[in-house]
Amino acid sequence: MSEFAPTTIVTGASDGIGLELARLFARKGRHVTLVARRRERLEELAEEIAAAGAVERPLVAGLDLCEAEALENLADALAAAGRSPEILVNNAGFGLVGRVAELDPAEQLAIVDLNIRALTALTLRFLPAVIEARGGILNVASVASFMPGPGFAVYYASKAYVRSFSEALAEELKPHGVRVTALCPGPVRTGFQARAGFDYKGEMKAVKPALLPAEEVARQGYEALFSGRRVVVPGLVNKFFVAAGRAAPRAILLPLLAKAQQAR
């Protein structure tokens, strides 16, 4: 793979945290490969990054990571461009608010397919290249990964997988010089909220102090990866939520979380 130039793959790069991470990696002088379903948004971002002075225009891969051929199509695009993954940023994901028994089963399985299966498949597919490059993996989890989430159950469970997988992988890959970080943001102003089906109104106004700009979350994730931190929770309020969630008895915590999801 030494004849290929290194690249940073960013999934879910068309919006929110993924978009800001792509911008940040490019500003730091790294070539970026942009992956998301909305190719037109990726092309716009690629033009913006190139106009901002990037050494090379990002590679654009308009793919639905839940499709069976997506991984090989991405691998083929990288090979054709003469690129090899050095850093993998697994950001793509979504969630749905509602009770498990009431939500569409296919949509809930799609959460598992994207948040867990696709993330794992990307990691396994490109891990040999990342190891050879002594690169890194940044997986976007969530503060949801630290607790169960009645009313948002499948999403919370999927992010618990992401954090657990990331921490274990960090230990396994340490002898290879590969850094692995789980970025665990709280609420962020992105397109995620609209797809999940909630907004911060009514009782959920209390959550607003935890909101951080996507660019700040991206910055903290980037810095955590290159400083070798396994887990980073951006924001003091979110750190408090995580600590409180770990300390609170489940008999108290679960009803509170269920009420919070209903308020959305």
Side-chain angles (χ1 to χ4, degrees):
M1 296 182 188
S2 57
E3 70 270 21
F4 292 105
T7 190
T8 295
I9 299 173
V10 182
T11 71
S14 61
D15 190 20
I17 298 171
L19 182 149
E20 295 298 340
L21 281 166
R23 285 172 171 162
L24 180 53
F25 275 95
R27 283 200 303 272
K28 297 295 185 179
R30 296 180 180 275
H31 180 271
V32 179
T33 297
L34 309 174
V35 182
R37 293 177 304 161
R38 294 176 289 182
R39 187 180 183 90
E40 68 283 358
R41 295 285 294 274
L42 299 182
E43 294 288 358
E44 291 172 5
L45 178 58
E47 288 300 321
E48 173 201 310
I49 289 173
V55 177
E56 294 182 74
R57 188 181 190 274
L59 175 64
V60 170
L63 299 169
D64 183 344
L65 292 173
C66 291
E67 293 183 353
E69 66 274 14
L71 263 183
E72 290 313 308
N73 287 344
L74 177 56
D76 290 345
L78 289 167
R83 294 289 170 178
S84 179
E86 176 186 25
I87 297 171
L88 176 60
V89 179
N90 283 309
N91 168 73
F94 79 103
L96 293 171
V97 171
R99 294 177 179 271
V100 169
E102 297 168 0
L103 290 172
D104 185 304
E107 290 185 328
Q108 294 182 83
L109 289 172
I111 296 171
V112 175
D113 200 33
L114 181 58
N115 296 13
I116 296 178
R117 190 207 60 79
L119 176 145
T120 307
L122 279 161
T123 302
L124 298 179
R125 178 64 177 80
F126 296 119
L127 190 54
V130 172
I131 290 173
E132 182 174 329
R134 296 177 69 86
I137 300 172
L138 179 61
N139 290 330
V140 179
S142 168
V143 294
S145 68
F146 294 93
M147 62 198 80
F152 212 178
V154 176
Y155 174 77
Y156 272 55
S158 73
K159 291 303 183 178
Y161 172 90
V162 173
R163 182 173 63 86
S164 176
F165 179 60
S166 301
E167 290 196 71
L169 201 57
E171 184 64 22
E172 290 186 9
L173 296 179
K174 187 164 53 175
H176 299 282
V178 175
R179 303 180 181 94
V180 182
T181 297
L183 173 59
C184 300
V188 181
R189 284 292 184 188
T190 68
F192 174 88
Q193 284 81 12
R195 188 174 186 187
F198 62 80
D199 199 357
Y200 298 102
K201 298 177 180 178
E203 294 181 26
M204 288 305 293
K205 286 182 179 179
V207 177
K208 284 189 174 180
L211 284 166
L212 290 176
E215 56 267 30
E216 174 61 17
V217 172
R219 182 189 67 80
Q220 293 197 35
Y222 181 94
E223 292 178 356
L225 176 65
F226 286 98
S227 63
R229 296 171 62 188
R230 289 194 306 274
V231 177
V232 58
V233 179
L236 291 175
V237 175
N238 292 317
K239 288 181 174 65
F240 170 78
F241 284 161
V242 169
R246 282 173 157 171
R250 287 295 192 258
I252 296 173
L253 180 65
L254 287 169
L256 288 175
L257 288 170
K259 185 177 181 181
Q261 305 306 339
Q262 289 171 2
R264 291 177 173 179

